[in-house]
Amino acid sequence: MATGDLVPTHFPARRAAQVALHHLNTHHGSPFRVFGLQRVHTATAEDQVVGTAGRKYSLDFSVTDYGSSGSVLRCSAEVLFPRTETHTHTPPEVHLRCEDLTHISSSPEELAFYQKHTAPHSAISAHDLPDSQGNISQDMQPFWHLARVAASFIMLRESSENTEYNMAQVANLTQQETSEKQLMLKYHVLLHDIVSQEIIHWKLLCSWSPEGGVSVRETEWLPKCPHDTGPPTAH
Amino acid sequence: MLIATLCKKMTRLLFLGALFVAVFAKRTFKRDQVLRINAKDDAQISLLKELSEQAHLGLDFWMEPVHESLPVDVHVPFHSLQAVRAFLAYNQIQYQVMIMDVQGLLENEEREMLKYNAFPRSTDDFVYSTYHDLKSIYSFMDMLVAENSMVSKIVIGKSYESRPLNVLKFSTGANRPGIWIDTGIHSREWVTQASGIWFAKKIVTDYRRDPVLTDILNKYDIFLEIVTNPDGFAYTHSSDRMWRKTRKPNPGSSCVGVDPNRNWDAGFGGAGSSSNPCTETYRGPSAHSEPEVKAIVDFVKSHGNLKAFVSIHSYSQMLLYPYGYKSTPAKDQAELYQLARKAVTKLWSLYNTYYRYGSIITTIYQASGGTIDWTYDQGIKYSYTFELRDTGRYGFILPANQIVPTAEETWLALMAIMEHTKNNPY
């Protein structure tokens, strides 16, 4: 793997940036805010030997919020992929700063969405978001965004220098009853890893509120066939 | 800043007025309009976004405000028209009325829909902005051939499940060198087959209208295989939208299929492909073991005079050249790089779609047994792979309304490659 200055358009920088994106979404994502990578501007990599051993990437990149605002933010991050002696996977560590991030607060849309779906008798369920043709109704988009944010917790945890994750589709979602002041949702999501080209199925339980953000309570990997030995990073 | 605030206050007053009216208006599509708005800068885009947040106006954005270079299409209910038009006028935002009466259009459309439900009777009737199944695409091919003397259909082989492997040949004379384009080798990459259909129509439309394409076709034949993996494609319609590989069973395994883009005899079996039949990048038992791949190999060898070869995939927005299986740069690396840059710039010029470019192994990942590594090593210098839209937001399930824009911008890149091929014979 490359060390020193990296070509920003090539995969080592891009994979590291995508990891930073997953981290960003876990902290700041919502039904109306999901960040995607726009461009990597500069990137370097070096071997870190002091403290956690591994490869450390330093990145300068821009992201787009395609949840609703379409705004573009400039970010910088350090992403460390730890090197472990054993064969178990250790999630990457991310330190991230984006301009204008602290100015982002709950929007009226978020509050309205939250009120509507935490009202008594709200029992949302859906499948195939988007459908095969890429269609998704306006009403369902926030649930799709929320899935992407929740999936980011998994994608972040599962990432390595040899993966590049996106969420391919939401297979289904069902709202869960809860006594907490949260929107509680069970999801079955399909993740896509560009490097292995695998589609990986995960079930997850997540909660969201405007003040609290997204939190993932449970995750479960679903093998695609009986002799499946584990998600790509386990190999 | 002050103007923006005044603007806000004014628009709020107008919106309240509209809201009042709205409460007492009955909801139909009668006299609703669709406006096409052309924002001239970022500030106007921001204003339009604010407008889009006024839920009580009942605006339905067909194309959301994103960037000043892109039109914003919005369906405005009749009760909100006055408010919206006043807002646009006040802010000096240019617009045109695209649809004067949505209800009238719907009534027309219902009549048109009856036409679409039956088979389209010509390639002018065919709907390019939606995804089609295999039957519909094969029927399109036959119509195109029937309508145009320059188009013929060659069956280069049969898939594992015995489906014909159809290639359209665009030719204006005999014994010409050729340019090859294939789409849909990975069946789940639906925007590629859909773009292939559009390219086919584009070629016949532009021949004798566009001087560059006409010149190309007067010297070269174009071969276009739209559904390169028909078994996989049928399977994405019937059973699994995310199916990538062929549908050939693997002896001794319950897992089906081989990755047709790891099955070529170029670094076959090396790092960058899998030996496990249950994986998406399974290379197959041997090079060219898949009939879908063998058919193209046989065609290329027997033609013997192809000068450019383009294999189209999605997603990631990239234009790539060899090698994928090894890090040794291709002999023609410098020229391939420059041409890629030129093609990508042309592509970007249409809708600002940003593409990365470079060799496969440096830009996306190591991949062995890939199509264009083989074609390049056969001597086809201009061997390229595209990864079309998008970069992961929708991924494989790209909304149908992006088919035509994707095809349009990609065509500009293809034209750049074909034109360069024509101008640099070898």
Side-chain angles (χ1 to χ4, degrees):
Chain A
M1 284 283 193
T3 300
D5 284 338
L6 304 177
V7 177
T9 53
H10 290 176
F11 72 76
R14 202 177 54 247
R15 288 180 199 174
Q18 190 75 335
V19 169
L21 250 309
H22 296 319
H23 174 96
L24 175 62
N25 281 323
T26 61
H27 281 78
H28 294 278
S30 84
F32 295 87
R33 190 161 59 243
V34 184
F35 294 101
L37 180 64
Q38 197 209 43
R39 203 163 307 194
V40 178
H41 301 290
T42 60
T44 59
E46 61 179 13
D47 283 321
Q48 179 164 293
V49 286
V50 183
T52 316
R55 175 129 32 217
K56 190 173 90 165
Y57 291 76
S58 300
L59 308 155
D60 174 24
F61 57 102
S62 293
V63 304
T64 321
D65 171 16
Y66 54 70
S68 54
S69 72
S71 43
V72 177
L73 300 184
R74 190 72 175 240
C75 300
S76 62
E78 288 81 49
V79 177
L80 173 68
F81 294 104
R83 221 177 316 281
T84 48
E85 294 299 312
T86 67
H87 286 292
T88 52
H89 170 73
T90 314
E93 294 169 19
V94 182
H95 296 281
L96 171 77
R97 297 152 299 280
C98 295
E99 61 172 20
D100 294 334
L101 209 45
T102 48
H103 300 152
I104 296 175
S105 56
S106 297
S107 67
E109 300 165 299
E110 285 183 6
L111 293 168
F113 176 77
Y114 178 72
Q115 314 283 28
K116 180 174 180 189
H117 294 290
T118 49
H121 312 303
S122 172
I124 289 287
S125 69
H127 62 91
D128 295 333
L129 300 178
D131 67 16
S132 287
Q133 323 264 327
N135 297 319
I136 177 165
S137 72
Q138 191 96 312
D139 287 341
M140 282 294 128
Q141 286 198 17
F143 292 99
W144 176 52
H145 296 148
L146 203 45
R148 176 76 193 228
V149 174
S152 298
F153 285 80
I154 300 174
M155 296 192 284
L156 176 62
R157 194 180 68 200
E158 297 294 313
S159 286
S160 73
E161 283 174 288
N162 299 310
T163 60
E164 194 172 340
Y165 281 107
N166 284 298
M167 185 179 80
Q169 191 179 34
V170 174
N172 61 57
L173 74 99
T174 336
Q175 185 168 5
Q176 306 294 296
E177 274 189 39
T178 174
S179 53
E180 297 178 49
K181 283 203 157 95
Q182 301 283 320
L183 179 60
M184 194 77 78
L185 294 159
K186 220 175 210 169
Y187 279 103
H188 176 161
V189 297
L190 274 55
L191 303 184
H192 174 234
D193 169 35
I194 290 178
V195 181
S196 66
Q197 290 292 347
E198 295 295 326
I199 300 287
I200 308 126
H201 295 245
W202 285 86
K203 279 202 150 112
L204 62 93
L205 178 67
C206 75
S207 65
W208 172 74
S209 68
E211 319 83 49
V214 178
S215 125
V216 170
R217 309 296 183 99
E218 288 163 27
T219 64
E220 183 194 344
W221 170 69
L222 303 171
K224 70 175 179 185
C225 37
H227 40 274
D228 222 344
T229 51
T233 38
H235 302 142
Chain B
M1 234 21 237
L2 180 63
I3 295 188
T5 322
L6 280 175
C7 219
K8 271 193 177 156
K9 290 196 170 143
M10 161 130 185
T11 55
R12 267 185 212 129
L13 284 171
L14 287 170
F15 296 151
L16 284 173
L19 176 62
F20 205 73
V21 171
V23 168
F24 296 96
K26 192 176 76 164
R27 181 82 168 110
T28 68
F29 293 107
K30 237 175 143 77
R31 291 180 294 169
D32 287 8
Q33 291 186 355
V34 177
L35 307 182
R36 169 154 284 187
I37 303 171
N38 296 293
K40 67 169 197 269
D41 56 31
D42 225 2
Q44 291 199 343
I45 288 287
S46 296
L47 285 170
L48 290 169
K49 283 180 181 160
E50 279 181 41
L51 184 72
S52 73
E53 284 155 25
Q54 307 303 318
H56 55 269
L57 285 177
L59 302 180
D60 179 16
F61 278 77
W62 291 6
M63 279 171 68
E64 305 272 350
V66 171
H67 190 272
E68 71 246 30
S69 63
L70 300 170
V72 176
D73 293 348
V74 56
H75 171 187
V76 184
F78 179 68
H79 65 78
S80 304
L81 259 177
Q82 195 178 15
V84 171
R85 291 172 84 135
F87 172 83
L88 294 173
Y90 184 87
N91 291 293
Q92 296 181 317
I93 302 178
Q94 290 219 336
Y95 71 95
Q96 313 132 270
V97 181
M98 216 164 78
I99 298 173
M100 286 294 286
D101 178 359
V102 178
Q103 185 64 26
L105 188 77
L106 287 178
E107 278 156 6
N108 275 336
E109 204 180 73
E110 271 168 36
R111 270 182 256 124
E112 292 298 305
M113 283 285 273
L114 293 171
K115 263 208 245 165
Y116 293 164
N117 285 334
F119 287 106
R121 280 163 306 144
S122 78
T123 61
D124 288 325
D125 260 356
F126 194 86
V127 184
Y128 295 89
S129 54
T130 187
Y131 292 108
H132 291 273
D133 63 15
L134 191 61
K135 187 170 176 190
S136 168
I137 297 177
Y138 277 9
S139 136
F140 164 86
M141 291 178 192
D142 290 336
M143 282 192 295
L144 194 73
V145 168
E147 294 162 14
N148 296 279
S149 56
M150 69 175 290
V151 191
S152 57
K153 183 174 82 174
I154 308 172
V155 185
I156 61 170
K158 279 187 135 91
S159 70
Y160 172 75
E161 290 173 345
S162 296
R163 294 183 172 86
L165 298 170
N166 292 327
V167 173
L168 293 175
K169 177 181 181 182
F170 300 83
S171 181
T172 65
N175 299 319
R176 302 261 172 89
I179 292 168
W180 168 281
I181 302 170
D182 66 72
T183 52
I185 193 170
H186 286 142
S187 37
R188 62 191 179 195
E189 299 166 7
W190 277 17
V191 71
T192 71
Q193 299 94 337
S195 295
I197 297 168
W198 189 92
F199 298 151
K201 182 62 172 170
K202 180 68 169 166
I203 294 170
V204 302
T205 306
D206 275 11
Y207 180 62
R208 292 212 189 108
R209 284 197 183 84
D210 175 74
V212 179
L213 180 69
T214 304
D215 197 29
I216 291 167
L217 278 166
N218 287 342
K219 303 187 163 89
Y220 291 77
D221 294 336
I222 298 176
F223 296 94
L224 175 60
E225 187 175 10
I226 297 174
V227 190
T228 306
N229 177 6
D231 294 351
F233 189 62
Y235 198 72
T236 58
H237 279 272
S238 67
S239 310
D240 181 359
R241 175 64 180 81
M242 296 292 168
W243 190 260
R244 165 186 169 90
K245 301 188 286 182
T246 64
R247 287 296 301 164
K248 183 141 117 327
N250 294 300
S253 173
S254 57
C255 297
V256 174
V258 166
D259 184 344
N261 199 24
R262 300 290 185 279
N263 187 242
W264 300 71
D265 194 9
F268 181 84
S273 65
S274 162
S275 59
N276 178 351
C278 294
T279 57
E280 297 284 24
T281 56
Y282 175 52
R283 62 179 74 111
S286 57
H288 307 169
S289 60
E290 300 314 282
E292 296 83 357
V293 170
K294 182 76 164 52
I296 304 174
V297 168
D298 290 345
F299 176 84
V300 170
K301 284 184 165 166
S302 72
H303 186 283
N305 205 16
L306 294 179
K307 295 301 179 186
F309 193 104
V310 181
S311 191
I312 301 183
H313 294 253
S314 77
Y315 61 91
S316 280
Q317 292 176 202
M318 292 174 179
L319 177 52
L320 306 165
Y321 49 81
Y323 288 104
Y325 78 88
K326 61 183 179 184
S327 51
T328 319
K331 183 170 49 72
D332 304 288
Q333 146 96 1
E335 185 185 359
L336 293 174
Y337 174 85
Q338 292 298 341
L339 179 54
R341 172 202 287 228
K342 188 172 181 190
V344 150
T345 306
K346 284 266 153 79
L347 187 154
W348 175 87
S349 73
L350 197 57
Y351 295 117
N352 281 11
T353 305
Y354 174 67
Y355 263 60
R356 291 159 273 225
Y357 56 98
S359 67
I360 296 168
I361 195 170
T362 56
T363 311
I364 190 169
Y365 41 52
Q366 183 174 26
S368 63
T371 309
I372 66 164
D373 285 359
W374 182 81
T375 60
Y376 184 75
D377 280 346
Q378 291 295 302
I380 305 175
K381 177 162 57 156
Y382 302 113
S383 288
Y384 283 97
T385 277
F386 278 82
E387 293 279 356
L388 302 186
R389 291 193 195 182
D390 61 12
T391 54
R393 180 180 180 189
Y394 288 95
F396 299 121
I397 41 183
L398 195 70
N401 65 15
Q402 290 198 43
I403 294 171
V404 173
T406 301
E408 288 174 331
E409 66 192 11
T410 307
W411 183 247
L412 298 183
L414 284 171
M415 282 293 288
I417 292 168
M418 294 196 292
E419 192 181 4
H420 183 94
T421 304
K422 166 182 78 79
N423 292 337
N424 295 275
Y426 61 96

